[in-house]
Amino acid sequence: MLKDVFSLNYFRGRLAHLEALPQLALLGLAAGLAAGSLMVLFRLAIEVPLVWLLGDAENFEQLPASLRFIGPLLGVCLILLCLYLVAPERRRVGVVYVLERLNFHQGYLHGRNAIVQFFSGALAIISGLPAGREGPAIHLGAAVSSLLGQRLQAPNNSIRILVGCGVAAAISASFNTPLAGVLFAMEVVLLEYSINGFLPVMVASVTAALINHAVFSGEIAFIVPELQYRSLYEIPFIMLLGFVLGTLAAAFNKLVLLTHRLQHWPLSVRFLSAGLMAALGAVAVPEIMGIGYDSISSILQGQMLLPTLLLLTLVKLACTAWCFGIGIPMGCIGPILLIGASAGGALGILGGLISPQPIGDMGFYAMLGMGAMMSAALQAPLAALTALLELTHNSNIIFPGMLAIVVANLTCSYVFKQKSVFWSLLAEQGHLPNQSPLAQALSREGVAAVMQRNTPRSSHKVTPAEAQALIELNAPWLLIMREGTPVSLLATSDLRRFLLAEHAPTQEHQEISLLAIPAQRKDLQPIAIQATLKEALDRLNQSGSEALYVRGWSGSIVGTLTYDDLRNYMNQQQNLL
C-alpha cells in the first residue's frame, strides 16, 4: 500500500483532483527550476553578444547611424533564414500561441516551436529591433513547463497549471517581480483566481526569482528613485495621465490589429517592411532599439528632455506595433513599458510647466505611465499595480497607481472598445475560447477524479448464472465487451428485471445476448485518463454518445464516465459559482 502511494501512477491520479495541492506544489517547484534555468540561458544568449558588440547590453545609442540602420535589417534577414529552415507550423511562437495552445490544445506546447522562439527572439533583440524579451520568455517558460508535464504524462488539468507556472516564472525572472509574475499568469493567461492555481504558480515564481538572484545577484530591471506625489492637488493630473495612457494603449492595440491583418503578404515582404521601419526609427531615435530598460532608467532618473520623450513615445509605439503585429517573433511588454514611461515622463514635465503648485517629479509620472500603459494594453490591472509596488518598494505609489490604472483601463476598454492585445490577436485569428466560469471549473478537474473505477466488465453473451453473478456485484452499470472492445454500458437494474421476467432463459447452456435484451444501454467513446472534464463533455457533445470509457496510462481500461456523472458534477459546480 505504501509503495502505491509513492508510485508515479498514484501521483498522476492525485493530480486529477482539485485538492491535490501537495502534488501541484511539487510540479510548481519543478516548473520554476526548469523555467528559471531556461530564462538564465535566454538572458545570457542576449546579453553576452551585446556586451561583446556594444560594451554594454543596451548601448545602441553609441552606434553610428549607418549601423543603427543596418542592424534591424540584418536581424530580420537572419530571423527569416531561421524560419525558412523549419516547417510553417513550427514558426508559431509568442504569447498568443501560448494562449491558443492553452485554450484549444490543453496546454500542450511543442519543443521545436520553443527552439525557434529562443533563437529568433534573441536575434530580434541583439539586432536592435524594438523588441522585448518578456514575450519570448513567456513562451519559453510555458513550453518547458508544458513539456515537463507531458514527459510525466500528467493529467491535462495539471498541464494547464504548469503553463501558468512557466509564465509566472518567466515574468518573475525578467523583472525580479515574483508577485507580479503570479498575478500576470492568473490575470492574463489562466484568466482565473483559485487556491489550486495560486499555490503552484507562487512556488514556481519564487523558485525562478531565486535562480535569477543566484546568477545575476538580484540585479533589478530598472533603477528607480524615491517616488511619491506631493499633494491631493495632483489628482487631476494623475487622472489626465490615465486618460492619455489609456488612449495610447488603445492606439497601440488597434495598430497591432490592423498590421496583423496584413498576414496575406508574403513572409519576406512583411518582415523586410518591419525591418525597414525599425531601421528608419533607429536612425531618428536610437533609444527605441532593443529592450529599452536603460532608457526607462534614464527617464525615471529625470535625464531626458521633453522633445526626446515625445518623439520616443510616438516612434517606439509605431515601430513596435508594426513589428509585433506583422509577426516578428518578439515581445511587446518591455516596449509597452518604455512607451508608458516616456509618455508619463512627458506629461510630468508638462504638468510641472502649467501647474501653479509644485507636483511630483518626472520620474514619478513616468512610473505611473508604465503601470497605466501596461494595465490598459494587456488588461492586467492587478499585475501592473503589483509590478509598480515591487519595482519601487514604495507603498506611496499604490494610491496614485490605482487611480492612473483604473482611468487608463476604462479609457482603453470602454471609451475605445479595445481589449487585451494578446486576446484581441487570438480573436482576430478566429479563436474564441469558452471563458465561462463553468467551463473553467471543468478544465480544473480531471476525468480520473469523477470516473467510476469499479464498473464490471462482461462479454456481450453470458449464461444465466454469469448474469446472476454480475447482478450480485451491485454496480449500477456493466461494461459490455465484444472482441476485447467496449461497445456499450448496460444498466444492471435492467438485466435484473430481464432475469426475473417469465420469458428469461433458465437453462445453463442457454446464452443471453446483453446487446439484444430490452434494457437501457449507452453508446461509448474512448477518452484518455489525462483528459479534463471539459474535454469529456466536448467528446460527448461532438459524438452524440452518452458515456465514455477511460483508458489509463498503459492503455488498459480503468473506468467509465457517463453524461449523468458529468451533469451531477456540473450542478454541484453551478451551486458553488
Side-chain angles (χ1 to χ4, degrees):
M1 183 66 180
L2 186 62
K3 181 180 179 181
D4 292 338
V5 170
F6 288 98
S7 69
L8 183 56
N9 280 347
Y10 177 83
F11 183 77
R12 294 166 177 156
R14 288 299 304 160
L15 287 173
H17 294 74
L18 281 174
E19 65 273 13
L21 289 180
Q23 290 81 7
L24 287 172
L26 284 175
L27 280 186
L29 176 63
L33 289 170
S37 301
L38 186 56
M39 291 308 99
V40 169
L41 291 176
F42 184 61
R43 183 169 172 180
L44 291 175
I46 295 169
E47 294 185 0
V48 170
L50 284 178
V51 170
W52 179 70
L53 290 170
L54 305 176
D56 182 272
E58 294 193 74
N59 194 20
F60 288 100
E61 292 84 354
Q62 57 90 23
L63 292 174
S66 58
L67 290 181
R68 297 203 303 271
F69 183 83
I70 293 172
L73 288 172
L74 179 61
V76 296
C77 290
L78 292 175
I79 294 171
L80 275 171
L81 178 62
C82 288
L83 297 185
Y84 279 132
L85 291 175
V86 299
E89 63 270 17
R90 299 299 171 223
R91 299 172 187 171
R92 304 197 58 212
V93 297
V95 179
V96 179
Y97 171 72
V98 171
L99 294 177
E100 182 202 334
R101 299 300 300 183
L102 180 65
N103 286 276
F104 297 98
H105 301 278
Q106 310 307 322
Y108 281 62
L109 282 91
H110 299 289
R112 292 184 182 179
N113 294 72
I115 294 172
V116 171
Q117 176 68 97
F118 187 99
F119 289 103
S120 60
L123 283 172
I125 297 172
I126 293 170
S127 63
L129 288 165
R133 71 175 178 226
E134 299 77 20
I138 288 171
H139 181 178
L140 294 173
V144 73
S145 300
S146 173
L147 290 170
L148 172 66
Q150 294 175 52
R151 182 70 176 176
L152 292 173
Q153 292 184 306
N156 293 348
N157 62 312
S158 57
I159 290 183
R160 172 184 173 84
I161 297 297
L162 276 171
V163 170
C165 290
V167 170
I171 294 294
S172 174
S174 292
F175 292 114
N176 261 335
T177 53
L179 184 54
V182 172
L183 292 176
F184 181 90
M186 306 301 288
E187 194 172 28
V188 177
V189 178
L190 297 178
L191 294 180
E192 63 177 347
Y193 293 101
S194 65
I195 296 298
N196 298 312
F198 260 121
L199 184 69
V201 170
M202 288 178 68
V203 171
S205 185
V206 170
T207 303
L210 288 174
I211 292 175
N212 184 69
H213 275 257
V215 177
F216 298 105
S217 303
E219 177 185 336
I220 59 175
F222 317 117
I223 300 173
V224 182
E226 289 293 326
L227 301 171
Q228 62 180 2
Y229 69 103
R230 298 186 179 182
S231 70
L232 293 177
Y233 181 80
E234 294 186 62
I235 296 301
F237 289 101
I238 294 173
M239 294 180 68
L240 175 63
L241 177 143
F243 176 79
V244 172
L245 268 297
T247 303
L248 285 174
F252 176 83
N253 290 8
K254 187 64 176 178
L255 184 55
V256 168
L257 291 176
L258 291 174
T259 308
H260 182 75
R261 291 169 186 168
L262 302 176
Q263 296 296 310
H264 59 280
W265 288 8
L267 182 66
S268 57
V269 174
R270 287 190 284 122
F271 275 41
L272 290 174
S273 71
L276 180 60
M277 186 168 187
L280 293 174
V283 171
V285 187
E287 289 83 1
I288 73 163
M289 301 184 73
I291 301 174
Y293 287 173
D294 60 335
S295 297
I296 292 176
S297 294
S298 297
I299 296 171
L300 294 174
Q301 297 290 335
Q303 297 173 357
M304 281 196 185
L305 300 176
L306 179 60
T308 303
L309 291 172
L310 293 174
L311 191 60
L312 175 58
T313 299
L314 296 176
V315 176
K316 184 73 171 181
L317 187 150
C319 290
T320 302
W322 183 272
C323 292
F324 182 68
I326 213 73
I328 298 292
M330 63 182 232
C332 69
I333 299 177
I336 283 172
L337 292 175
L338 178 53
I339 295 167
S342 56
L347 289 171
I349 294 175
L350 291 172
L353 293 176
I354 65 176
S355 173
Q357 296 187 19
I359 64 171
D361 296 332
M362 164 185 159
F364 170 73
Y365 281 92
M367 180 58 72
L368 292 183
M370 291 170 63
M373 184 72 183
M374 174 182 173
S375 171
L378 307 183
Q379 291 295 293
L382 283 178
L385 181 62
T386 306
L388 286 183
L389 184 59
E390 288 188 294
L391 289 170
T392 62
H393 300 284
N394 182 358
S395 60
N396 292 325
I397 202 72
I398 294 178
F399 169 69
M402 288 177 67
L403 184 59
I405 284 171
V406 166
V407 174
N409 259 53
L410 291 174
T411 301
C412 183
S413 59
Y414 287 96
V415 176
F416 294 102
K417 310 298 182 185
Q418 295 296 310
K419 304 302 180 184
S420 164
V421 64
F422 298 133
W423 286 98
S424 296
L425 283 173
L426 191 63
E428 187 71 18
Q429 296 172 7
H431 301 299
L432 294 173
N434 183 358
Q435 300 171 11
S436 69
L438 181 58
Q440 291 180 334
L442 292 174
S443 296
R444 289 195 292 267
E445 192 95 58
V447 164
V450 180
M451 70 181 185
Q452 300 177 27
R453 295 179 178 271
N454 299 315
T455 305
R457 301 182 204 176
S458 170
S459 172
H460 68 289
K461 289 185 178 182
V462 295
T463 64
E466 290 172 337
Q468 187 61 43
L470 290 171
I471 291 173
E472 291 173 357
L473 294 175
N474 292 321
W477 297 95
L478 300 174
L479 183 61
I480 310 304
M481 311 287 290
R482 182 163 57 187
E483 298 179 357
T485 302
V487 292
S488 181
L489 269 186
L490 173 69
T492 307
S493 59
D494 289 341
L495 178 58
R496 180 185 295 110
R497 188 178 301 110
F498 174 77
L499 290 179
L500 293 175
E502 294 181 358
H503 58 275
T506 58
Q507 300 300 319
E508 185 62 30
H509 66 276
Q510 293 180 293
E511 284 190 333
I512 302 171
S513 175
L514 299 182
L515 297 178
I517 65 173
Q520 179 186 3
R521 281 178 288 268
K522 294 181 181 293
D523 293 333
L524 286 170
Q525 287 289 320
I527 196 166
I529 197 170
Q530 294 99 323
T532 65
L533 294 183
K534 175 66 167 55
E535 291 178 85
L537 181 61
D538 291 342
R539 174 66 63 85
L540 290 173
N541 289 335
Q542 291 167 6
S543 66
S545 300
E546 300 172 279
L548 303 167
Y549 64 92
V550 183
R551 291 199 175 275
W553 288 279
S554 63
S556 60
I557 300 171
V558 295
T560 57
L561 182 70
T562 67
Y563 187 82
D564 291 335
D565 296 330
L566 273 175
R567 185 166 52 194
N568 291 336
Y569 179 84
M570 288 189 291
N571 289 336
Q572 294 174 7
Q573 292 301 312
Q574 285 177 328
N575 291 334
L576 294 175
L577 294 174

